[in-house]
Amino acid sequence: MLTIEADAELIRSERIKTHGPEGFEGMRKAGRLAAECLDMLTPHVVPGVLTDDLDKLAREFILDHGALPACLFYRGYAKTVCISPNHVVCHGIPGERALREGDIANIDVTVIVDGWHGDTSRMYPVGEINARAKRLIEVTYEAMDRGLAQVRPGARFGDIGWAIQQYVEAQRCSVVRDFCGHGLGKVFHDSPNVLHFGQKGTGPEIKAGMFFTIEPMVNLGKSQVKVLNDGWTAVTRDKSLSAQCEHSVGVTENGVELFTASPKGLFRPTF
């Protein structure tokens, strides 16, 4: 099976690439399939489900649609998706853990369609969740929207991080600084790094044709995280709840196109 390491063309560049109509069409297909995969999982995210069973459903869906799971065997990762419940910030490994009533969980999937990467994640409430968890999710999604609103030719990447940070901290939450968004396209993780904090008017100029992810991680408590001994799972140091959402986007002449918008309108959870 094709892996990132196995493809000689998939090499990160220090230059921020720009793309034309062919790239936009490729990213639309990849992004839509990634979003459809998360839509498919929605009715299965219920109390008692094993995270490994959700991973298997995602893998079967992606392969059945003639695509490849980008995370499978990527740098030794052995699963198709990342599932990060409660105080897990990101890169949670599916396994024998059962989701429980009141949990919140982020599911992150990346697919490869004709060489193009569609990368997206969203939050799932497991049954009824409490008011603090709902508020965290709402703050995270609003932060994403405020970051997206900064994307247009002539703006700076720092504008995205500034908008997210200003809002999140005003809500007395914190932005995780150890992880960031990234360029993508034919490469899974490419330039630039898209920070979710920063100063307005700083960073590289945003130009039409650029592709990247915006994926803020927001904690109810402090921003510090640690990575567990498995080398992947990142958790909040103070064990506070964490939430994340992610879109793959392309910069147009007038603004931004969401490649990973949910066809069923399920990207933003309802309570």
Side-chain angles (χ1 to χ4, degrees):
M1 179 177 291
L2 175 69
T3 67
I4 299 299
E5 290 90 342
D7 192 331
E9 294 182 357
L10 301 185
I11 300 173
R12 180 183 173 101
S13 170
E14 294 306 311
R15 177 180 60 86
I16 304 174
K17 300 181 180 73
T18 57
H19 305 267
E22 180 182 355
F24 274 84
E25 185 58 30
M27 289 297 289
R28 288 184 190 116
K29 292 178 181 178
R32 182 180 178 88
L33 185 63
E36 287 175 340
C37 181
L38 294 184
D39 284 355
M40 177 275 298
L41 289 176
T42 299
H44 299 282
V45 183
V46 295
V49 68
L50 298 181
T51 54
D52 200 45
D53 288 344
L54 295 174
D55 186 76
K56 290 173 183 175
L57 285 171
R59 182 163 60 253
E60 291 170 1
F61 179 88
I62 295 166
L63 295 174
D64 286 349
H65 283 78
L68 294 173
C71 290
L72 189 61
F73 306 128
Y74 177 69
R75 296 181 180 175
Y77 192 75
K79 300 293 180 177
T80 294
V81 299
C82 297
I83 303 181
S84 304
N86 299 330
H87 75 294
V88 179
V89 175
C90 60
H91 303 158
I93 304 172
E96 294 304 308
R97 185 195 193 282
L99 296 178
R100 298 178 294 183
E101 181 83 20
D103 284 347
I104 60 173
N106 176 273
I107 303 182
D108 189 338
V109 64
T110 307
V111 304
I112 305 173
V113 179
D114 298 328
W116 296 96
H117 291 73
D119 187 2
T120 183
S121 81
R122 66 179 76 156
M123 295 301 297
Y124 295 81
V126 184
E128 292 294 322
I129 64 174
N130 65 35
R132 295 176 74 250
K134 290 178 183 178
R135 177 176 176 273
L136 173 64
I137 292 172
E138 289 167 352
V139 167
T140 304
Y141 276 78
E142 178 64 23
M144 158 74 84
D145 289 344
R146 291 181 182 230
L148 288 169
Q150 302 300 313
V151 180
R152 58 189 176 276
R156 298 281 175 175
F157 277 95
D159 299 347
I160 300 171
W162 172 84
I164 291 170
Q165 181 185 6
Q166 293 296 307
Y167 173 72
V168 169
E169 293 181 352
Q171 302 305 308
R172 297 187 178 181
C173 296
S174 61
V175 177
V176 172
R177 301 187 177 211
D178 296 72
F179 302 97
C180 61
H182 53 89
L184 83 169
K186 292 276 188 170
V187 179
F188 190 173
H189 295 102
D190 208 347
S191 294
N193 291 335
V194 183
L195 304 182
H196 304 118
F197 62 94
Q199 297 294 321
K200 194 171 186 178
T202 64
E205 181 181 353
I206 297 173
K207 298 180 180 180
M210 290 180 173
F211 299 157
F212 51 88
T213 70
I214 300 177
E215 47 185 298
M217 286 154 267
V218 178
N219 297 345
L220 268 182
K222 296 180 179 180
S223 64
Q224 287 78 14
V225 307
K226 64 179 180 180
V227 177
L228 301 184
N229 291 336
D230 60 27
W232 289 99
T233 307
V235 300
T236 57
R237 284 191 175 271
D238 60 8
K239 298 186 178 179
S240 62
L241 287 179
S242 186
Q244 180 191 14
C245 54
E246 175 184 13
H247 271 313
S248 296
V249 306
V251 184
T252 67
E253 294 294 339
N254 300 313
V256 62
E257 178 176 345
L258 302 184
F259 296 131
T260 47
S262 165
K264 293 184 178 180
L266 300 176
F267 179 73
R268 191 166 188 151
T270 56
F271 309 114

